[in-house]
Amino acid sequence: MELSPNKLTTLERYKILTGLVFPRPIALVSTRSENGVANCAPYSWFNAICEDPPLVIVSFGARKDSKLKHSLINILRTEEFVVNLVDEDIANSMHISSEEVPETVSEFEIAGFSEAPCTVVKHPRIAEAPVSFECKLYKRVEVGHMRDIILGEVVHVHARDGLIDPTTKRVSEDDYWPVGRLYGTRYCTTRQRFNLPGELPE
Ligand SMILES: Cc1cc2nc3c(=O)[nH]c(=O)nc-3n(C[C@H](O)[C@H](O)[C@H](O)COP(=O)(O)O)c2cc1C
């Protein structure tokens, strides 16, 4: 089969890209709105893309009413945000937190998340997350009429005790069970891991 993206509808392109490029990691972005409400939502057009400086990338579409997503509004207003990573324990709550609710409603409450304070940024992080990256806005790229690509610089990392070896900084695989997004409402675990020949970096 051959496909020309310019002959596909936007929805068809979305289906092809998200249906083929998987699993995608999930950024559970947390911010606080102007009126003080703790906001969070999952974003799986997401990845860590660079270590010097340490950058993550998140891609925002529009809400159903064509307005900007609340997370993006809060990022643009404060130039800060938090990326919480998602493991099996919080997968269900993460999914629930994707509901489009009015700005006055906190997804923390809907999903049963607790707020924990950040060290550098003003937004709350999710206490139940295995890892949270405090981020400063590095660059915004507006794409088309419905997409905003946000690059965030990780300025502080919170990791659950025991997850990262304090000396080697290696992550303990046995204590870390992130989930990935397949497409739509489909997810995967990272339980089937395997080795190929070669050495791990120091
Ligand atoms: C697993 C998952 C991944 C998602 N990824 C994205 C994404 O990458 N970009 C996006 O714009 N919306 C994404 N969404 C939809 C948003 O989470 C949803 O629109 C949410 O209500 C936005 O909340 P906010 O307006 O509070 O930011 C995703 C939803 C789920 C369940």
Side-chain angles (χ1 to χ4, degrees):
M1 183 183 199
E2 316 290 324
L3 293 167
S4 298
N6 59 8
K7 297 208 178 87
L8 299 174
T9 64
T10 312
L11 178 60
E12 287 170 335
R13 280 182 231 149
Y14 178 84
K15 283 200 245 177
I16 297 285
L17 291 174
T18 59
L20 291 175
V21 184
F22 77 57
R24 286 179 293 150
I26 301 167
L28 185 49
V29 174
S30 59
T31 51
R32 198 181 294 286
S33 66
E34 205 166 14
N35 54 16
V37 175
N39 173 88
C40 68
Y43 288 87
S44 55
W45 292 110
F46 158 70
N47 221 315
I49 49 155
C50 176
E51 77 282 42
D52 189 19
L55 296 181
V56 293
I57 192 164
V58 188
S59 161
F60 294 85
R63 286 171 71 90
K64 292 190 188 100
D65 60 7
S66 298
K67 300 219 168 94
L68 296 187
K69 303 241 170 166
H70 295 159
S71 307
L72 180 61
I73 292 174
N74 296 337
I75 292 171
L76 296 177
R77 188 185 71 257
T78 61
E79 303 200 335
E80 295 178 341
F81 60 106
V82 183
V83 167
N84 305 273
L85 299 179
V86 178
D87 65 6
E88 293 172 14
D89 287 348
I90 64 166
N92 192 52
S93 296
M94 168 280 296
H95 188 68
I96 291 169
S97 76
S98 70
E99 199 187 331
E100 280 199 12
V101 293
E103 220 177 355
T104 47
V105 176
S106 171
E107 293 91 348
F108 273 68
E109 278 175 28
I110 295 175
F113 287 133
S114 328
E115 291 180 40
C118 278
T119 304
V120 180
V121 310
K122 288 178 248 13
H123 298 295
R125 64 189 169 90
I126 293 175
E128 292 80 6
V131 177
S132 303
F133 294 149
E134 296 187 27
C135 299
K136 295 257 184 200
L137 176 62
Y138 185 83
K139 190 169 270 195
R140 173 192 188 188
V141 183
E142 291 171 83
V143 180
H145 64 291
M146 294 285 265
R147 277 271 159 205
D148 274 278
I149 312 284
I150 292 291
L151 294 179
E153 179 171 353
V154 179
V155 292
H156 195 84
V157 177
H158 301 263
R160 184 180 292 153
D161 285 346
L163 205 59
I164 301 176
D165 183 296
T167 310
T168 63
K169 306 295 184 292
R170 199 174 292 291
V171 173
S172 165
E173 257 194 57
D174 291 340
D175 295 302
Y176 190 46
W177 301 104
V179 296
R181 176 107 185 264
L182 298 182
Y183 51 89
T185 53
R186 306 262 308 141
Y187 297 93
C188 64
T189 65
T190 49
R191 288 207 167 254
Q192 284 185 305
R193 301 168 177 187
F194 59 95
N195 254 335
L196 292 173
E199 299 294 321
L200 286 175
E202 258 307 293

